[in-house]
Amino acid sequence: MEQYEPDRLSPAQVAAMRRSFRNGRAALTRRSLLRASAGGALVAGGLGALTGCGIPAAGKTAGGVSADDHSAKEKTVNFSNWTEYMDVDESEKHHPTLDAFTERTGIKVKYTEDINDNVEFFGKIKPQLAAGQDTGRDIIVLTDWLAGRLIRLGWVQKLDAANLPHAFANLAEQFRSPDWDPGRAYSYPWQGISTVIAFNRKALDGVEVKSVSDMLDNPKLKGRVGFLSEMRDSIGMTLLDMGKDPAKFTDDDYDAAIARLQKAVDKGQIRRFSGNDYTADLTSGDFAACIAWAGDVVQLKADSPDIDFIIPDSGYITSSDNMLIPNKARHKTNAERLMDYYYEPEPAAELAAYINYVCPVDGVKPYLAKIDESAADNPLIIPDAAMAAKSHAFRSLSQKEETAYEEKFAKLTGA
């Protein structure tokens, strides 16, 4: 079990956090590419919360620390999620799938969109979890690396498989056994996130891009290539292009990937490293090709016939946002019932049709086709077998590795 201590962040880690707040996945909402978030406020509040000042270190604790389960008497569940990561009706006041769950079970869902960034949210719940207190939340949704950290700290509860029959049966193979939660004992994916190569057909003007090497080496693309400011995405895609497995790479492999990108920076091939704001560059043609998040590409393609994507033969990086039940949650059984509900094909299809991220539920395609046939046929939402086989996860990092790798990546990007 990982020992919890108040966070002492290296300059490189602080820089990485600022990149995420400024223009990473935290910078824009899930559904709107044009609506800016309150990133500046999060930088001030989030970084302050992460200093750990005044929070006593916790000793090693066993996982699965629960309060008495009040699910039978209190027909409620408190669900914290990212902004605009749930289906809504035309009035934008109701969530149809949540309403259907309540109608079926009698369990009311208090749904709160209070997660804007992993780091900021961790700072918010850390004092309570470290002190062994209830966070007031029964389900939280966190990205792989932070979900893994909470599991190692013993701050989330082991799931009861008896309450999750649909989740156990219908979880897509590519998400079944991440290295940070083998067998999904503590978590289930909410949605998957794929990192691909996007391009503007008009800006390419006949230039062929099929790989990261094409982006880095073709002189016709000089100054018109974009990479992401998120280390795991840009380095992961580069490692794959170099024939390395992002789940098993060494320090030397990482350094070689950094050197590969540094060479492209030095010769002006890479225009810049960006967060979600790459979408404007791609649409305008300033980027002829870039590393991109699939959820964005789905929306961009709908608005512009020039935008498309490719999956390199070497593969692509995949990650997930994951549902977990924190220690001392009052309504564990209710939470598990809600988690399991979203692994039934019908509600999973309704959710996928609205948010356009990778659906982690097997068997959802025919149900999604009844709602939106184009979404059902889109491999960025429902990966086919060939695409799923090309997915690769970036391995978990130790604290020492995280610090060293972020320092090198910050130097590369000029952050």
Side-chain angles (χ1 to χ4, degrees):
M1 195 75 67
E2 179 177 313
Q3 173 73 36
Y4 170 71
E5 296 178 355
D7 292 289
R8 294 293 181 262
L9 301 175
S10 71
Q13 288 173 301
V14 172
M17 289 160 49
R18 289 190 183 277
R19 287 198 306 274
S20 181
F21 282 127
R22 183 172 65 247
N23 59 10
R25 290 178 60 213
L28 297 177
T29 62
R30 301 270 168 163
R31 286 289 296 179
S32 174
L33 298 176
L34 302 176
R35 186 188 309 166
S37 75
L42 290 178
V43 170
L47 292 180
L50 281 167
T51 60
C53 295
I55 302 172
K60 295 182 179 180
T61 59
V65 180
S66 63
D68 293 334
D69 191 348
H70 298 268
S71 292
K73 294 182 179 179
E74 298 177 6
K75 305 293 283 186
T76 187
V77 60
N78 299 307
F79 186 178
S80 282
N81 205 348
W82 294 70
T83 56
E84 304 198 43
Y85 215 12
M86 179 67 74
D87 57 307
V88 297
D89 64 6
E90 292 184 0
S91 73
E92 298 190 357
K93 295 180 180 179
H94 300 283
H95 303 291
T97 56
L98 289 178
D99 291 345
F101 173 78
T102 298
E103 184 176 354
R104 181 201 297 184
T105 64
I107 299 171
K108 295 182 178 180
V109 182
K110 182 182 178 183
Y111 184 73
T112 308
E113 295 181 331
D114 61 346
I115 304 178
N116 294 288
D117 180 85
N118 287 288
V119 174
E120 181 265 345
F121 186 71
F122 180 60
K124 184 185 299 184
I125 63 175
K126 179 177 63 177
Q128 294 157 304
L129 290 173
Q133 299 172 350
D134 180 14
T135 65
R137 300 167 176 86
D138 301 306
I139 298 177
I140 55 178
V141 178
L142 301 174
T143 307
D144 292 348
W145 66 270
L146 184 54
R149 186 176 188 194
L150 263 64
I151 291 170
R152 293 194 302 272
L153 287 166
W155 287 356
V156 294
Q157 299 186 51
K158 191 171 185 178
L159 301 173
D160 185 348
N163 294 328
L164 294 154
H166 296 97
F168 181 80
N170 296 335
L171 177 61
E173 182 63 33
Q174 72 182 95
F175 297 106
R176 280 196 173 268
S177 194
D179 66 354
W180 49 268
D181 187 16
R184 292 288 181 179
Y186 294 89
S187 68
Y188 270 95
W190 175 248
Q191 295 292 289
I193 305 161
S194 297
T195 305
V196 300
I197 295 177
F199 61 85
N200 184 315
R201 188 174 288 102
K202 184 177 180 180
L204 282 178
D205 193 25
V207 176
E208 190 173 62
V209 173
K210 291 186 176 181
S211 67
V212 170
S213 286
D214 289 339
M215 295 171 62
L216 294 177
D217 297 334
N218 192 328
K220 293 182 179 179
L221 297 178
K222 183 176 180 178
R224 298 192 296 133
V225 167
F227 275 71
L228 289 168
S229 57
E230 296 292 339
M231 180 267 287
R232 288 168 175 81
D233 296 297
S234 287
I235 295 296
M237 291 293 283
T238 304
L239 284 168
L240 284 169
D241 187 72
M242 297 170 67
K244 302 298 182 179
D245 186 349
K248 300 177 181 178
F249 69 90
T250 65
D251 287 348
D252 287 343
D253 294 333
Y254 185 91
D255 289 345
I258 287 285
R260 177 93 168 92
L261 291 173
Q262 186 66 61
K263 180 179 178 181
V265 169
D266 292 344
K267 69 181 182 180
Q269 187 78 4
I270 295 176
R271 184 182 184 92
R272 69 188 183 98
F273 291 83
S274 62
N276 275 96
D277 53 336
Y278 73 82
T279 57
D281 290 305
L282 185 61
T283 302
S284 70
D286 287 341
F287 283 165
C290 64
I291 303 299
W293 290 307
D296 294 340
V297 178
V298 172
Q299 297 174 47
L300 291 172
K301 277 174 59 69
D303 295 331
S304 172
D306 293 325
I307 305 302
D308 213 333
F309 75 98
I310 62 103
I311 301 297
D313 288 341
S314 60
Y316 67 101
I317 294 294
T318 188
S319 58
S320 56
D321 287 329
N322 308 278
M323 297 179 284
L324 306 103
I325 300 176
N327 285 353
K328 297 293 185 177
R330 287 178 61 88
H331 312 107
K332 182 174 185 285
T333 299
N334 290 346
E336 290 167 338
R337 291 183 67 183
L338 181 59
M339 292 167 69
D340 192 62
Y341 168 74
Y342 279 104
Y343 276 81
E344 296 179 24
E346 294 94 334
E350 291 184 54
L351 183 65
Y354 186 81
I355 63 177
N356 296 156
Y357 274 73
V358 180
C359 181
V361 182
D362 267 347
V364 78
K365 185 172 182 176
Y367 298 89
L368 181 56
K370 295 177 182 178
I371 303 170
D372 185 339
E373 191 169 349
S374 64
D377 291 334
N378 191 331
L380 297 181
I381 300 174
I382 307 293
D384 56 25
M387 182 168 175
K390 290 184 176 181
S391 69
H392 297 266
F394 197 96
R395 70 172 174 81
S396 298
L397 301 179
S398 67
Q399 183 70 16
K400 182 179 179 180
E401 287 176 324
E402 180 84 29
T403 299
Y405 291 173
E406 285 291 3
E407 285 178 351
K408 292 174 182 178
F409 190 70
K411 183 178 180 180
L412 168 72
T413 63

